[in-house]
Amino acid sequence: MKRSARAVAHPNIALAKYWGKLEGPGNFPAVPSLSVTLAGMRTETTVRFDPALTEDRLLLQGEPATPAAAARMTKLLDRVREEAGFATRAEVISRNDFPTASGLASSASGFAALALASVRAAGLAWDLPTISDLARRSSASAARSIFGGFVTLPAGEPGIDKLPAEPFLPADHWDLVVVVAVATEQAKDVGSTEGMLRTSKTSPLYEGWLKGAPAIYERVRQALLRRDLEALGAAVEQSALAMHGTAMGADPPVVYFRPVTLAALEAVRGLRRNGTLAYATMDAGPHVKVVTEASNLDVVAAAMKEVPGIERLIVARPGPGAEVLEEEG
Ligand code: DP6
């Protein structure tokens, strides 16, 4: 058994959204999704298996993990221990270098880094698809952060037991940028796991989402291949708005939008009216992420800065997959 490993992973943003799971265990997504892994922001995680520990010691941003986060992390570590054939507890030290209030799902980079570091620390000779599958079981979007560039995650199918994400196109395929417009308002949101479960159980619109999502995903895929920003943007916005629409139809409703979200969406439409191709996507929070080509960055950034309620912008570009930084043992 290797004793410890340190890994890095980066957040990703879905251009075609995952929202909803197959019924039953395994955390299989009900729809296909496609994301871009982002450079410039990172989660670094060290896993050290230590025979002296009587339970896992889990530190996030220097603080003990909350009971809910700890339970999810221990579950992943238990899978690794079971495969490796030992019961040794681990110390996990994980840090994001991006503000957790940025609206960039830290669970994607977090579970990707944890999966890679713990597999390596345990001395398992797993390939990246197997590590991606492990990460997916904890958080489906994390499966995609194992790979760099543009990444797909197929929908699950009844009866399968493994579902990794797949690299689709390299980071340098297209000079896209994502401008993350971070909203000031920090109302506590419903987490994505709970939000999508409630949606699938109670939203009358969910059936329509399941039916429509694969075609939107296919349009995103084709537009990326052709580097067609207009077609990509239209599909990206439809994916996000259809996801939020089905969530808003839940009982009680799952509403991530705030006034600032609509103001930012209006600013993006204003950019287009003035001839700048820029498109918006939103995840389980009020923040708006604007997808555009790098040549439009200054114009887009200037417009988004003007939106009242936007606290700051983070500019992100397509980036690399998860990597091992150090192994000891
Ligand atoms: C809106 O991957 O966080 O960001 O599998 O329950 O952990 P779990 O959900 P999670 O959901 C991400 C939802 C999303 C869209 C996406 O990233 O595809």
Side-chain angles (χ1 to χ4, degrees):
M1 165 175 82
K2 283 239 167 49
R3 216 182 29 160
S4 80
R6 187 158 61 93
V8 61
H10 308 274
N12 70 75
I13 285 187
L15 302 173
K17 303 293 182 194
Y18 146 57
W19 196 253
K21 303 169 191 289
L22 291 191
E23 271 180 39
N27 200 39
F28 289 99
V31 296
S33 59
L34 195 161
S35 61
V36 53
T37 303
L38 300 174
M41 284 163 278
R42 46 199 276 138
T43 299
E44 232 183 82
T45 301
T46 305
V47 174
R48 190 172 57 85
F49 288 106
D50 181 350
L53 291 172
T54 53
E55 56 185 55
D56 291 328
R57 185 163 179 268
L58 310 168
L59 294 175
L60 302 177
Q61 304 295 91
E63 303 281 335
T66 61
R72 243 169 129 176
M73 292 166 74
T74 290
K75 220 168 169 182
L76 187 152
L77 291 165
D78 282 344
R79 286 198 183 100
V80 170
R81 284 187 279 252
E82 198 182 316
E83 287 294 329
F86 63 77
T88 312
R89 303 286 109 184
E91 179 186 67
V92 176
I93 298 174
S94 187
R95 270 188 188 283
N96 299 327
D97 77 348
F98 52 95
T100 41
S102 66
L104 285 155
S106 54
S107 75
S109 51
F111 280 109
L114 178 64
L116 181 56
S118 56
V119 162
R120 290 305 181 86
L124 292 169
W126 285 7
D127 58 11
L128 288 179
T130 308
I131 295 169
S132 172
D133 177 67
L134 172 73
R136 181 195 52 73
R137 287 167 193 276
S138 298
S139 185
S141 56
R144 302 184 309 232
S145 275
I146 293 295
F147 300 105
F150 300 89
V151 181
T152 58
L153 177 62
E157 283 163 35
I160 58 167
D161 60 12
K162 190 176 170 187
L163 186 72
E166 294 161 12
F168 172 50
L169 290 164
D172 63 3
H173 169 71
W174 191 0
D175 211 1
L176 288 181
V177 288
V178 179
V179 179
V180 182
V182 182
T184 327
E185 225 164 331
Q186 288 305 325
K188 181 106 180 68
D189 291 315
V190 179
S192 40
T193 306
E194 190 196 328
M196 70 176 80
L197 284 177
R198 196 192 296 169
T199 302
S200 60
K201 280 197 193 119
T202 65
S203 175
L205 306 176
Y206 184 64
E207 281 302 312
W209 162 252
L210 290 182
K211 241 193 212 153
I216 300 175
Y217 162 86
E218 194 49 37
R219 279 166 52 208
V220 168
R221 230 176 65 83
Q222 293 300 334
L224 273 172
L225 280 171
R226 297 197 312 269
R227 299 188 189 87
D228 180 341
L229 185 54
E230 220 171 331
L232 177 76
V236 164
E237 285 202 351
Q238 195 188 5
S239 177
L241 290 167
M243 177 206 119
H244 284 276
T246 184
M248 287 183 204
D251 178 25
V254 179
V255 183
Y256 293 112
F257 285 14
R258 299 287 183 276
V260 63
T261 314
L262 294 177
L265 276 173
E266 190 47 40
V268 173
R269 281 192 287 264
L271 278 163
R272 290 209 292 272
R273 277 195 298 272
N274 292 325
T276 301
L277 294 183
Y279 299 89
T281 186
M282 293 74 62
D283 294 298
H287 321 282
V288 170
K289 294 124 190 189
V290 187
V291 180
T292 190
E293 277 174 336
S295 55
N296 297 329
L297 177 57
D298 290 349
V299 182
V300 170
M304 299 316 292
K305 253 186 223 149
E306 291 297 304
V307 177
I310 295 298
E311 189 173 277
R312 68 175 171 281
L313 304 181
I314 300 172
V315 177
R317 293 186 157 77
E323 276 170 78
V324 177
L325 301 173
E326 213 179 299
E327 288 180 77
E328 261 177 58

mmCIF file of all heavy atoms in Angstrom, residues 12-14 16-19 21 27 33 72 105 107 136 138-142 144 192-193 196 243 282-284, ligand 1:
data_model
loop_
_atom_site.group_PDB
_atom_site.id
_atom_site.type_symbol
_atom_site.label_atom_id
_atom_site.label_comp_id
_atom_site.label_asym_id
_atom_site.label_seq_id
_atom_site.Cartn_x
_atom_site.Cartn_y
_atom_site.Cartn_z
ATOM 1 N N ASN A 12 -15.608 22.159 -13.289
ATOM 2 C CA ASN A 12 -16.105 22.172 -14.674
ATOM 3 C C ASN A 12 -17.476 22.825 -14.696
ATOM 4 O O ASN A 12 -18.167 22.883 -13.680
ATOM 5 C CB ASN A 12 -16.154 20.754 -15.246
ATOM 6 C CG ASN A 12 -17.233 19.891 -14.629
ATOM 7 O OD1 ASN A 12 -18.422 20.053 -14.930
ATOM 8 N ND2 ASN A 12 -16.849 18.966 -13.739
ATOM 9 N N ILE A 13 -17.836 23.320 -15.864
ATOM 10 C CA ILE A 13 -19.174 23.904 -16.047
ATOM 11 C C ILE A 13 -19.877 23.129 -17.139
ATOM 12 O O ILE A 13 -19.304 22.911 -18.222
ATOM 13 C CB ILE A 13 -19.072 25.396 -16.415
ATOM 14 C CG1 ILE A 13 -18.696 26.167 -15.150
ATOM 15 C CG2 ILE A 13 -20.389 25.922 -16.997
ATOM 16 C CD1 ILE A 13 -18.710 27.639 -15.281
ATOM 17 N N ALA A 14 -21.106 22.706 -16.850
ATOM 18 C CA ALA A 14 -21.851 21.926 -17.843
ATOM 19 C C ALA A 14 -22.446 22.856 -18.891
ATOM 20 O O ALA A 14 -23.121 23.833 -18.564
ATOM 21 C CB ALA A 14 -22.950 21.127 -17.157
ATOM 22 N N ALA A 16 -24.177 21.273 -21.437
ATOM 23 C CA ALA A 16 -25.448 20.529 -21.475
ATOM 24 C C ALA A 16 -25.598 19.914 -20.085
ATOM 25 O O ALA A 16 -24.741 19.148 -19.645
ATOM 26 C CB ALA A 16 -25.418 19.441 -22.542
ATOM 27 N N LYS A 17 -26.654 20.273 -19.388
ATOM 28 C CA LYS A 17 -26.762 19.986 -17.952
ATOM 29 C C LYS A 17 -27.176 18.562 -17.626
ATOM 30 O O LYS A 17 -28.038 17.978 -18.289
ATOM 31 C CB LYS A 17 -27.796 20.900 -17.298
ATOM 32 C CG LYS A 17 -27.555 22.373 -17.443
ATOM 33 C CD LYS A 17 -26.324 22.848 -16.711
ATOM 34 C CE LYS A 17 -26.154 24.349 -16.854
ATOM 35 N NZ LYS A 17 -24.808 24.780 -16.430
ATOM 36 N N TYR A 18 -26.605 18.074 -16.542
ATOM 37 C CA TYR A 18 -27.085 16.875 -15.839
ATOM 38 C C TYR A 18 -28.058 17.349 -14.771
ATOM 39 O O TYR A 18 -27.716 18.209 -13.958
ATOM 40 C CB TYR A 18 -25.866 16.163 -15.240
ATOM 41 C CG TYR A 18 -26.055 15.461 -13.917
ATOM 42 C CD1 TYR A 18 -27.016 14.461 -13.740
ATOM 43 C CD2 TYR A 18 -25.233 15.772 -12.836
ATOM 44 C CE1 TYR A 18 -27.153 13.817 -12.527
ATOM 45 C CE2 TYR A 18 -25.355 15.127 -11.619
ATOM 46 C CZ TYR A 18 -26.322 14.150 -11.461
ATOM 47 O OH TYR A 18 -26.447 13.517 -10.259
ATOM 48 N N TRP A 19 -29.260 16.833 -14.793
ATOM 49 C CA TRP A 19 -30.230 17.146 -13.724
ATOM 50 C C TRP A 19 -31.179 15.969 -13.624
ATOM 51 O O TRP A 19 -31.974 15.728 -14.523
ATOM 52 C CB TRP A 19 -30.997 18.455 -14.028
ATOM 53 C CG TRP A 19 -31.698 19.033 -12.829
ATOM 54 C CD1 TRP A 19 -33.047 19.043 -12.577
ATOM 55 C CD2 TRP A 19 -31.089 19.701 -11.718
ATOM 56 N NE1 TRP A 19 -33.297 19.660 -11.383
ATOM 57 C CE2 TRP A 19 -32.120 20.077 -10.834
ATOM 58 C CE3 TRP A 19 -29.765 19.997 -11.364
ATOM 59 C CZ2 TRP A 19 -31.874 20.748 -9.621
ATOM 60 C CZ3 TRP A 19 -29.526 20.660 -10.171
ATOM 61 C CH2 TRP A 19 -30.567 21.036 -9.324
ATOM 62 N N LYS A 21 -31.520 11.750 -11.646
ATOM 63 C CA LYS A 21 -30.795 10.476 -11.532
ATOM 64 C C LYS A 21 -31.713 9.325 -11.915
ATOM 65 O O LYS A 21 -32.932 9.434 -11.781
ATOM 66 C CB LYS A 21 -30.353 10.266 -10.077
ATOM 67 C CG LYS A 21 -29.478 11.381 -9.506
ATOM 68 C CD LYS A 21 -29.333 11.219 -7.991
ATOM 69 C CE LYS A 21 -28.697 12.450 -7.350
ATOM 70 N NZ LYS A 21 -27.283 12.639 -7.634
ATOM 71 N N ASN A 27 -25.996 6.360 -8.158
ATOM 72 C CA ASN A 27 -25.866 7.752 -8.618
ATOM 73 C C ASN A 27 -25.622 7.848 -10.128
ATOM 74 O O ASN A 27 -24.679 8.499 -10.581
ATOM 75 C CB ASN A 27 -24.762 8.484 -7.845
ATOM 76 C CG ASN A 27 -24.907 9.996 -7.937
ATOM 77 O OD1 ASN A 27 -26.035 10.526 -7.900
ATOM 78 N ND2 ASN A 27 -23.803 10.698 -8.096
ATOM 79 N N SER A 33 -24.665 14.570 -20.217
ATOM 80 C CA SER A 33 -24.209 15.945 -20.001
ATOM 81 C C SER A 33 -22.858 16.154 -20.671
ATOM 82 O O SER A 33 -22.150 15.194 -20.997
ATOM 83 C CB SER A 33 -24.131 16.259 -18.498
ATOM 84 O OG SER A 33 -23.251 15.382 -17.835
ATOM 85 N N ARG A 72 -20.102 11.650 3.031
ATOM 86 C CA ARG A 72 -19.919 11.435 1.581
ATOM 87 C C ARG A 72 -18.465 11.079 1.263
ATOM 88 O O ARG A 72 -18.193 10.224 0.416
ATOM 89 C CB ARG A 72 -20.276 12.738 0.864
ATOM 90 C CG ARG A 72 -21.455 12.610 -0.047
ATOM 91 C CD ARG A 72 -21.899 13.960 -0.506
ATOM 92 N NE ARG A 72 -22.018 13.992 -1.958
ATOM 93 C CZ ARG A 72 -22.461 15.040 -2.645
ATOM 94 N NH1 ARG A 72 -22.792 16.140 -2.012
ATOM 95 N NH2 ARG A 72 -22.555 14.982 -3.957
ATOM 96 N N ALA A 105 -19.243 24.786 -8.646
ATOM 97 C CA ALA A 105 -19.460 23.615 -7.801
ATOM 98 C C ALA A 105 -18.126 23.086 -7.313
ATOM 99 O O ALA A 105 -17.318 22.612 -8.101
ATOM 100 C CB ALA A 105 -20.199 22.560 -8.592
ATOM 101 N N SER A 107 -17.928 20.583 -5.408
ATOM 102 C CA SER A 107 -18.012 19.124 -5.268
ATOM 103 C C SER A 107 -17.407 18.431 -6.488
ATOM 104 O O SER A 107 -16.863 17.332 -6.372
ATOM 105 C CB SER A 107 -19.450 18.659 -5.035
ATOM 106 O OG SER A 107 -20.204 18.705 -6.212
ATOM 107 N N ARG A 136 -17.850 9.660 -9.911
ATOM 108 C CA ARG A 136 -19.263 9.824 -10.288
ATOM 109 C C ARG A 136 -20.210 9.316 -9.218
ATOM 110 O O ARG A 136 -21.282 9.866 -8.984
ATOM 111 C CB ARG A 136 -19.546 9.095 -11.610
ATOM 112 C CG ARG A 136 -20.983 9.229 -12.105
ATOM 113 C CD ARG A 136 -21.322 8.233 -13.177
ATOM 114 N NE ARG A 136 -21.004 6.865 -12.786
ATOM 115 C CZ ARG A 136 -21.690 6.166 -11.895
ATOM 116 N NH1 ARG A 136 -22.759 6.670 -11.310
ATOM 117 N NH2 ARG A 136 -21.307 4.943 -11.568
ATOM 118 N N SER A 138 -19.907 9.500 -6.115
ATOM 119 C CA SER A 138 -20.041 10.509 -5.054
ATOM 120 C C SER A 138 -20.746 11.753 -5.554
ATOM 121 O O SER A 138 -21.572 12.336 -4.858
ATOM 122 C CB SER A 138 -18.670 10.897 -4.522
ATOM 123 O OG SER A 138 -18.041 9.778 -3.943
ATOM 124 N N SER A 139 -20.430 12.184 -6.765
ATOM 125 C CA SER A 139 -21.044 13.377 -7.343
ATOM 126 C C SER A 139 -20.859 13.269 -8.854
ATOM 127 O O SER A 139 -19.724 13.258 -9.340
ATOM 128 C CB SER A 139 -20.357 14.630 -6.804
ATOM 129 O OG SER A 139 -21.020 15.776 -7.275
ATOM 130 N N ALA A 140 -21.959 13.154 -9.586
ATOM 131 C CA ALA A 140 -21.836 12.808 -11.009
ATOM 132 C C ALA A 140 -21.000 13.826 -11.776
ATOM 133 O O ALA A 140 -20.223 13.463 -12.662
ATOM 134 C CB ALA A 140 -23.210 12.628 -11.633
ATOM 135 N N SER A 141 -21.128 15.120 -11.432
ATOM 136 C CA SER A 141 -20.353 16.121 -12.167
ATOM 137 C C SER A 141 -18.846 15.937 -11.929
ATOM 138 O O SER A 141 -18.030 16.350 -12.756
ATOM 139 C CB SER A 141 -20.791 17.534 -11.784
ATOM 140 O OG SER A 141 -20.689 17.723 -10.386
ATOM 141 N N ALA A 142 -18.458 15.318 -10.818
ATOM 142 C CA ALA A 142 -17.034 15.097 -10.516
ATOM 143 C C ALA A 142 -16.391 14.127 -11.500
ATOM 144 O O ALA A 142 -15.186 14.210 -11.769
ATOM 145 C CB ALA A 142 -16.874 14.574 -9.089
ATOM 146 N N ARG A 144 -16.632 14.186 -14.574
ATOM 147 C CA ARG A 144 -16.156 14.953 -15.727
ATOM 148 C C ARG A 144 -14.859 15.689 -15.427
ATOM 149 O O ARG A 144 -14.063 15.940 -16.329
ATOM 150 C CB ARG A 144 -17.263 15.937 -16.178
ATOM 151 C CG ARG A 144 -18.595 15.238 -16.547
ATOM 152 C CD ARG A 144 -19.629 16.231 -17.075
ATOM 153 N NE ARG A 144 -19.781 17.365 -16.198
ATOM 154 C CZ ARG A 144 -20.937 17.831 -15.711
ATOM 155 N NH1 ARG A 144 -22.091 17.249 -16.040
ATOM 156 N NH2 ARG A 144 -20.965 18.868 -14.928
ATOM 157 N N SER A 192 -27.509 20.694 -5.114
ATOM 158 C CA SER A 192 -27.957 20.099 -6.373
ATOM 159 C C SER A 192 -28.529 18.696 -6.181
ATOM 160 O O SER A 192 -29.513 18.337 -6.834
ATOM 161 C CB SER A 192 -26.836 20.102 -7.411
ATOM 162 O OG SER A 192 -25.609 19.792 -6.847
ATOM 163 N N THR A 193 -27.944 17.903 -5.276
ATOM 164 C CA THR A 193 -28.456 16.542 -5.068
ATOM 165 C C THR A 193 -29.923 16.597 -4.623
ATOM 166 O O THR A 193 -30.792 15.938 -5.206
ATOM 167 C CB THR A 193 -27.623 15.808 -3.998
ATOM 168 O OG1 THR A 193 -26.251 15.872 -4.369
ATOM 169 C CG2 THR A 193 -28.054 14.356 -3.846
ATOM 170 N N MET A 196 -32.321 18.154 -7.393
ATOM 171 C CA MET A 196 -32.723 17.297 -8.516
ATOM 172 C C MET A 196 -33.615 16.147 -8.058
ATOM 173 O O MET A 196 -34.486 15.703 -8.799
ATOM 174 C CB MET A 196 -31.517 16.851 -9.340
ATOM 175 C CG MET A 196 -30.577 15.893 -8.719
ATOM 176 S SD MET A 196 -29.280 15.411 -9.893
ATOM 177 C CE MET A 196 -28.159 16.789 -9.813
ATOM 178 N N MET A 243 -33.474 23.196 -17.581
ATOM 179 C CA MET A 243 -33.167 22.599 -16.274
ATOM 180 C C MET A 243 -33.801 23.421 -15.153
ATOM 181 O O MET A 243 -34.449 22.885 -14.254
ATOM 182 C CB MET A 243 -31.641 22.544 -16.094
ATOM 183 C CG MET A 243 -31.211 22.017 -14.754
ATOM 184 S SD MET A 243 -29.566 22.642 -14.273
ATOM 185 C CE MET A 243 -29.974 23.518 -12.777
ATOM 186 N N MET A 282 -26.519 28.776 -15.984
ATOM 187 C CA MET A 282 -26.641 28.898 -14.531
ATOM 188 C C MET A 282 -26.744 27.506 -13.914
ATOM 189 O O MET A 282 -27.409 26.635 -14.462
ATOM 190 C CB MET A 282 -27.919 29.673 -14.152
ATOM 191 C CG MET A 282 -27.938 31.129 -14.547
ATOM 192 S SD MET A 282 -28.168 31.429 -16.316
ATOM 193 C CE MET A 282 -29.765 30.723 -16.623
ATOM 194 N N ASP A 283 -26.108 27.329 -12.758
ATOM 195 C CA ASP A 283 -26.187 26.042 -12.060
ATOM 196 C C ASP A 283 -27.017 26.192 -10.786
ATOM 197 O O ASP A 283 -27.913 27.013 -10.756
ATOM 198 C CB ASP A 283 -24.766 25.518 -11.837
ATOM 199 C CG ASP A 283 -24.128 25.192 -13.184
ATOM 200 O OD1 ASP A 283 -24.667 24.316 -13.879
ATOM 201 O OD2 ASP A 283 -23.137 25.845 -13.560
ATOM 202 N N ALA A 284 -26.706 25.427 -9.755
ATOM 203 C CA ALA A 284 -27.555 25.424 -8.565
ATOM 204 C C ALA A 284 -27.257 26.623 -7.671
ATOM 205 O O ALA A 284 -26.925 26.486 -6.490
ATOM 206 C CB ALA A 284 -27.378 24.107 -7.815
HETATM 207 C C1 DP6 B 1 -26.530 21.987 -12.063
HETATM 208 O O1 DP6 B 1 -22.975 16.586 -9.671
HETATM 209 O O2 DP6 B 1 -23.534 18.246 -7.842
HETATM 210 O O3 DP6 B 1 -24.208 21.584 -11.774
HETATM 211 O O4 DP6 B 1 -24.435 13.803 -8.453
HETATM 212 O O5 DP6 B 1 -25.988 14.641 -6.699
HETATM 213 O O6 DP6 B 1 -23.553 15.213 -6.567
HETATM 214 P P1 DP6 B 1 -24.727 14.894 -7.466
HETATM 215 O O7 DP6 B 1 -25.030 16.253 -8.265
HETATM 216 P P2 DP6 B 1 -24.008 17.291 -8.885
HETATM 217 O O8 DP6 B 1 -25.003 18.080 -9.883
HETATM 218 C C2 DP6 B 1 -24.567 19.035 -10.776
HETATM 219 C C3 DP6 B 1 -25.734 19.774 -11.325
HETATM 220 C C4 DP6 B 1 -25.402 20.958 -12.187
HETATM 221 C C5 DP6 B 1 -25.319 20.567 -13.675
HETATM 222 C C6 DP6 B 1 -24.088 19.821 -14.103
HETATM 223 O O9 DP6 B 1 -22.989 20.053 -13.556
HETATM 224 O O10 DP6 B 1 -24.218 19.032 -15.054
#
